[in-house]
Every structure is written in structure tokens, then in C-alpha cells.
Amino acid sequence: MPQTILRQRFAFPENDRQIMTSWERFMDGQQPGTDALRRLIDDSWRRCHGAVDPARNRAPTPMIGDALHELLADSEDLMQAGAPVIASARDFLFETGTVMVLTDAGGKVLRVEGDNSLRDPTEDIHLMPGGDWSEAAFGTNAIGTTLQIGQPIQIHSAEHYCTGTKRWSCSASVIRDPLSGTILGAIDISGLNESYSRHSLALAIAAAGRIENRLAQRELKLRYQLLDQCFERLSGPGRDGLIVFDRSGRAIKTNDRAAALMAELAKTRGAADPALRDLALPWKKGRIAPENMPDWMDRDWIEPVHQDGERLGAVLVLPDRSATVRRAGLRNVNAVPAAGDPFDRLSGSAPAYREAIRRARLLSKSPAPVLLLGETGVGKDAFAQALHAAGPRATGPFVAVNCGGFSRELLTSELFGYADGAFTGARRGGMTGKIEAADGGTLFLDEIGEMPLDLQPHLLRVLESGEVFRIGENQPRKVKLRLITATNRDLKAEVSAGRFRLDLFYRIAVTSLNLPALRERMPDLPELSAHLLAQIAARYEMPAPAIAPAVLEAFARHDWPGNIRELRNVLESLFLESEGGMLQPGALPAELRRDAPGGALPEGLTPLERVERDAIAAAIRRQQGNLTSAARDLGIAKSTLYVRLDKLGLKEQIAQLRER
């Protein structure tokens, strides 16, 4: 990438005063009049002029209730692909003064994770799920502008169009559909101005690349499943033409008769001769039929293909008019529910872990509330599901809510539901809350320590009375459920500090269960790694590979601050890079390699530099040691990459990679 173009991507804080003067001149109807203003920013200001109020101090009011649920449901694939990337931000961006933001293609925020100290500032400007950060809604900003231009960009301080974001520094990159190249969303790293780092843009680009890779892997897996279901039919003796479409509506396979019959049918109906390569049937999520169909096509010719309740795609059957049309549906494959003791799915033999399982088995027989205690990632969700499945309400619903994943207002409507017309934007007919949805089953409240203090008495009343009031209703609804809660906080200390109610603590902690951290059960690592790897391989429908002894040795040296969640992410990364072979130490992430002899991190790295180091190392591994390609992948100059390799202590690892 030419240096002039590359410089357009990055912000230069030393020019901030000049850019603020340019913005004031622009607001007065004058030309900005300075070379310090990048052309991309100037263009964005001009797009926003007259369309966006520059005095806005926050983005538009975020979606809530059903509108937010619909937004998240429409972006389910993107959120699943981004989940491990965004989840890692909570640990990697800790104390960096930054957050990572995932949005859809329209700039609507789907998820925010990172430094908890920014929770109030981000909510103040509506940088939260449901918030609209498109250029049309909130002027020049990294999210909206990267989606507008389709390229990575960093926007700092005065470069923002609206006054409400001029104290922020943001870097964003688009996420594209790996098959069509269509923009699906954006990844953004944002913080207050003092958090500025040129390398935040490299992190955003690397994160977007990881999500695109995960999307590609999932799409290929679903295509293989689709073609496997359709194989016999495509190669069969029938005279109908068959065209297989993936779930995005792209034609991916035909039989020999399809092209001729398609031309014949189009001619019969007076339509132009269609080109197979241009044929697409775009489906909107949840719809049975595509949005737009050619005039010559009949809706009844489309047969959906499902597996385990998930739509894989569809087959278009082009009838041969000279023969009797035989319409044979494709099979639906239904999963067989797992049987046996639910606690057998929890793998481990360390004494502390076996004791936790023994106590959980006893507690599962009682309907009493259980409080699960332990660090982030120790498997509290798995224990909660096992407690439910082994308990007296196993046939009822298991409803999980993460109390730390919502704003106060959204958490209130999530838990309690609301009546018709309870507030602006409320769904007609109201919404059932999670407490009500768990009636007859189990309600699992994860991160209960994050529940706002003023919301706690409302939950306490439900637990004491067995009644829930929807927001805006005066009539209670009876509920009977089992409550399981989980936290990584010391709730007694939270009570002493006035952040958690003592009466609620005693209500939810009738019994408690401490789950050991992974570093306290290191002998379990080989067995647990094999167990998790088998689950990962099954998800990708591939055999589970072996794990090289050197990998297990590296695992034993690591302290696993992210516990089982971190181990699962590392194993999945190794699995995807193994190409079906044994998991090798060369693909280990930087934080595990630094525990190895000769692999120590240089002293004094900030948390953000540690994240940068991992992003650069991952890019170089992807490019098999080719630094020119890695620099292009990261969106930085090769000379800059060399400087960062030296600064971040990566030169020795690169030499080892090239020797292999």
C-alpha cells in the first residue's frame, strides 16, 4: 500500500489543534484550509454536513426490547463468529482504557467488551448494544466511516464530526463476507483520547480477519453438509433439473439437466435466457421463500434443506415437462438427546474438582437456590446446566441471563418483561421476561454480582413471593422455578461495600459451590484437553487429532488466567491451524510461548502492547513467516513491522518460524 494512502488511515494527535480549528471553520461555512486535515475526514464531514447535527453529544437512543432481540437475531452468524474474539477483549483490554465493539453492516452495535472503567462513559454516548453509530446517525466516527468507505480507519479527537465524540479515539475495520466480499459489519477499538495508539488499528484489522476466518470455516462446513445431503439426488437418474443454493442464496451445484431446463422454462414464460452464474435467491432470516425471484420461477419449486433444525440451503427443482414430476423432499436430521448422568459430561479427576461434582450431584436433587463461585471461565455455565438436567425440573426450560451483559434498562426488561405500550418502542402485545419464561424450570443468573443495586429488591420480591410483575402491569404472574446464580466476585465483600444487598445474598446463597481454577487442577490438563478437543472436532465433523507432548508441556507451564474458556479457545485455534494433523507447539499463541524457555516477554509491556504482540504474531503465523504479507495483512508498513518486532521481542520467534 503506498505510504500516502497508508497515512490516510492513521490519525496524528499532534495535529489535533489545527483540525479543531478546521472543524470550527467548516461549521462556519468556510473551507477547512489546512493540510493537517486528512482527505478521508474532509470527505466524511462533507457527507455529514446538513444531515447530522454537529452538536449531538451522544448517538440516537439505542434499541431495546424486541427491536434489540430482532437485531441480534438477524446478526446471529456474525455474533457467533465474533464471540471468542470479543470475549477475549474482556481480558486482553483490561486496564488499557479501551473497549472492542462489534457492529452490523448498518452500524448498529451488537456487543461491547473491554475495560470495565469505560462502562459509564460508553453508555453515556450510547456506545452499547442497539446503538446506531452509522455516519448518517452520528457523523464522522470510526465505525460509521469505515462502513461508509469499506476500508480501515483511525479517527481521533477533533476529527469526529459531532461534539459528543471529540474526547474519543477510535480505530475500526470492516468485516466482509469471505465468499461474496459484502460488508457484514465492523470491529472497533475505542477509548478516551489518552488511550490513543496507532497500533489499535492493527488490532482492529487482525480481529476482523479472525472473524472473517471463522465465518469462512463455518460457511464451508455448512456447504459440505448441504452437498452431502444433496449428493444422491444430484447424481440420481431423475429428469428434473436441480440447482443447490447455500443459505445465502448462492447457486453452488447443479445436475446435468439444470442449465437446459432453466433456459427452456424462461423461454416458455417470455423471460430472458438466465445465466446460471448470475442466479441468486436471497433469503431473509426466518423466511421460507426468498425475497426476490425471477419471473420464470415458481415458488413451489423451492425445497428447503435442514439439519438439526438449522437451514442449510435449498434445492430448486426445475420440472421436466415431458415427464411426471416426482417431488421427493430432502431428509431432516434430528439430534438424539444425550442420556445418562449429566455430570459425566464434566471432565476432570483432580480432588477439588471431583469434590465439586460430588457436592453438585447432591445439590441437584433439591430445588434450593445454588450460588456457583469461581473465576471467569471455570465452567460455571456447564455446572448450572448439569444441576438443571439432574434436578427435579429437568423437563422444564433452562433460561440463562448474563447480568453483566446488559445496561440497567435492558436487563430490567429482559428479566421482568413488559406490557403493551409500557414505553416508547415497546412491542405490541408486550414481551415475556426471562423470569416468566423459566416458569417450571431453572433460571440461571450469571454474573449476579453485576446486577445494579436498585434492581436487586425487585428480584428479591420475585424470589420471596413467587410472583413477577411485567413493566407497566399491575397484575402479578405466578412463577415457580429453581434459581442458580454465579459470580466471580466476593459477594460478602460487595455487601460490606454497599454494592450488593445482604437480604438478596442470603436468599441466593442458600447453598454455594466453589469451582476450582484450572491452575489448581493441572493434572487434569491432558484429559481435559482431549475432552475439549473431541468436542471441537465433533463440531467441525472431523476426527480429533493427537496433541504433541510439547504442547501439553507448554500448557503445564501456563497459569491459565482465563481458565477452561481460555483452554478451549487455544485448542480450537490449534485445531484450525493443524489441518487435520497433530497439534504442534509452533501454532501456540504468544502468551503460551512466552512461558517456554527463550520465549519470555520483554519487561514493561503494557496490556495493549501485549495484545498488539499477539496480533502481530498471529498475522506472521498466518503468512508463514512472510513479513511483507504480514505487514499488508496488518495494514502497516513493513518498516513499522520491523520496529515493532524488535520492541515487542518477537524477532527470535520469527527466526524459529523461518527455520521450520
Side-chain angles (χ1 to χ4, degrees), residues 585-598:
L588 284 168
E591 64 268 21
L592 267 76
R593 290 199 308 278
R594 72 178 179 232
D595 294 327

Side-chain angles (χ1 to χ4, degrees), residues 2 48 76 80 134 151 161 166 190 200 252 259 283 287 314 319 408 417 419 445 481 508 534 557 575 644 652:
C48 299
E76 182 181 3
Q80 285 182 355
S134 62
Q151 298 292 335
Y161 185 77
K166 287 189 179 292
S190 287
S200 293
I252 61 172
W283 269 271
R287 299 286 180 86
R408 184 214 176 277
L445 297 181
L481 52 82
I508 67 175
R557 287 189 294 266
F575 175 79
R644 301 311 295 169
E652 183 179 343

